[in-house]
Amino acid sequence: MDNYAKTKDDFIKFFLDELYSKTHFEYEHDPEVMGFFEPDDPYTDHIMAAQDHVKEFMKDSISKIPGISADEITKQYEKMQKEVFSILLPEIEKYVEEKITVNVKWPDSLRLIDDGNGDFRYFRPGEDDPALLGNRDNVADNGHKDEENYK
């Protein structure tokens, strides 16, 4: 039985609409909880939620087909899920590569500041004056790329 209440295109459109509803993510880095920043962390939950919602939509739609048995619902759901996700996986990759922007807010303790002697060191919250963070000579340590240059 392939008489779905909704079509494969309906499920794909539903998922893509939900996925693309959010393309900008704010993220506050917390080294105590996470260690180093993983660039996919802020949007992974959004992608997973969109996948869960389309799966629920599929199962609900298939369940509404008149006279369908529980076994047939499971079979049709698994078939439709496989068909839909074979199309959606490349779309998810495209979304991640082309549409997402992430604004990372680094805690003050990960900011490098001028130590006044021409060297840089990490800002120490509670010990250093917060005004040091506003100094144009101080830089944010975005990704620790230049860390070896500031020891």
Side-chain angles (χ1 to χ4, degrees):
M1 171 190 285
D2 284 339
N3 184 19
Y4 299 113
K6 299 285 183 185
T7 67
K8 179 170 42 176
D9 290 339
D10 292 329
F11 299 129
I12 291 168
K13 182 182 180 331
F14 176 88
F15 176 80
L16 292 176
D17 287 348
E18 186 162 336
L19 186 68
Y20 282 90
S21 70
K22 187 171 183 180
T23 58
H24 182 76
F25 298 85
E26 299 280 330
Y27 178 78
E28 190 167 332
H29 179 70
D30 183 352
E32 297 297 321
V33 174
M34 298 181 51
F36 287 99
F37 172 67
E38 296 294 331
D40 64 339
D41 287 341
Y43 52 85
T44 299
D45 289 343
H46 175 67
I47 293 170
M48 298 302 290
Q51 289 176 346
D52 289 344
H53 291 153
V54 77
K55 288 176 185 177
E56 290 171 25
F57 181 44
M58 275 188 247
K59 194 161 208 163
D60 185 54
S61 296
I62 294 168
S63 298
K64 290 181 180 176
I65 298 172
I68 192 169
S69 70
D71 285 343
E72 193 62 27
I73 289 171
T74 301
K75 288 178 191 173
Q76 292 299 323
Y77 169 73
E78 289 172 358
K79 179 182 175 195
M80 181 58 78
Q81 186 178 348
K82 186 181 260 186
E83 290 176 17
V84 167
F85 278 94
S86 70
I87 295 167
L88 291 180
L89 290 177
E91 291 294 328
I92 293 170
E93 289 177 22
K94 180 180 173 184
Y95 165 78
V96 169
E97 291 172 7
E98 298 177 9
K99 297 296 181 182
I100 289 178
T101 58
V102 179
N103 182 29
V104 180
K105 182 179 182 214
W106 294 91
D108 292 340
S109 62
L110 292 181
R111 301 244 345 239
L112 293 171
I113 60 170
D114 185 341
D115 72 355
N117 298 319
D119 289 322
F120 287 87
R121 65 173 173 76
Y122 287 106
F123 180 80
R124 293 180 304 256
E127 294 178 36
D128 290 324
D129 182 354
L132 291 171
L133 294 173
N135 187 339
R136 284 186 308 184
D137 294 332
N138 296 331
V139 295
D141 182 11
N142 293 332
H144 308 282
K145 291 177 188 166
D146 299 320
E147 188 171 85
E148 63 275 359
N149 296 331
Y150 298 111
K151 290 183 178 177

